[in-house]
Amino acid sequence: MKAFPLIRALFCLVLIFSASLSADDGNLEYKVKAGYLYNFTKFVTWPEITGATFNLCILGTDPFGAVIDPIEKKSAFDKPIKVIRLDEAIFLSGRDVKIHCRILYISHSSNPKTAFEKLKIGSHATGMLIVGEGDEFVAGGGMIGFVNRDGKIKLQVNLQSVRQTELKISAKLLEIAELVKGGIHD
């Protein structure tokens, strides 16, 4: 019975977020993606969550804009969610290594390969879910990627990349995702 609310939430997530996107509503696309990012907090197991906030970081140009801001009114693991927008140049220089991102969304404007290499150097990446978009993102080593299939936002998951961390993705989330092999983390 304890799993029923999770199953119901996942079912609602699939129904709501697999709705067709109209070509002229970019905001809807990013509302869907923001909803997924929040719901990942329910379907991913992290190592011990320390710190005062659960940080969701956006690396590079922020495609969400104000659409993602309402997520800061929610919480994850009894901690308020904080959205942090990271400048790519500063991130790659290593000057903001004190920020502990639980979810790192790599914007399409950023170079995922460069970010992956930077994350491999820092040990803080082991408890970080790395999310992005496009077919190449997950094949290149990202953990979860958003792809547009026939006007619907779908998920791709690279289990090899996830397994190299301390994260565990729920089977319920994996059921709705396309699994992709390969990546630069191999």
Side-chain angles (χ1 to χ4, degrees), residues 10 43-44 168-177 179:
L10 181 63
F43 295 98
V44 175
K168 296 199 181 352
I169 296 180
S170 162
K172 300 297 179 192
L173 182 59
L174 294 175
E175 285 177 18
I176 65 167
L179 301 181

Side-chain angles (χ1 to χ4, degrees), residues 68-176:
I68 199 163
D69 292 343
I71 204 169
E72 289 191 314
K73 295 179 181 160
K74 299 186 180 287
S75 64
F77 307 98
D78 296 323
K79 298 182 184 296
I81 296 175
K82 181 174 173 114
V83 176
I84 301 171
R85 289 156 174 95
L86 301 173
D87 178 87
E88 185 174 18
I90 293 172
F91 176 80
L92 294 176
S93 75
R95 288 183 292 200
D96 57 355
V97 293
K98 301 233 185 271
I99 296 173
H100 190 78
C101 303
R102 289 299 177 171
I103 299 175
L104 176 65
Y105 181 88
I106 299 177
S107 168
H108 63 279
S109 70
S110 295
N111 182 339
K113 185 174 181 177
T114 305
F116 296 152
E117 288 302 318
K118 176 68 179 171
L119 292 168
K120 282 172 62 173
I121 294 168
S123 62
H124 62 283
T126 61
M128 184 185 310
L129 181 67
I130 303 172
V131 183
E133 56 189 59
D135 289 306
E136 304 82 28
F137 181 79
V138 171
M143 295 178 192
I144 298 179
F146 297 118
V147 293
N148 191 325
R149 298 270 193 257
D150 300 320
K152 295 180 182 177
I153 299 298
K154 301 290 183 179
L155 300 177
Q156 290 183 329
V157 174
N158 183 329
L159 283 177
Q160 288 175 309
S161 293
V162 174
R163 286 183 182 130
Q164 293 178 8
T165 69
E166 298 174 21
L167 304 176
K168 296 199 181 352
I169 296 180
S170 162
K172 300 297 179 192
L173 182 59
L174 294 175
E175 285 177 18
I176 65 167

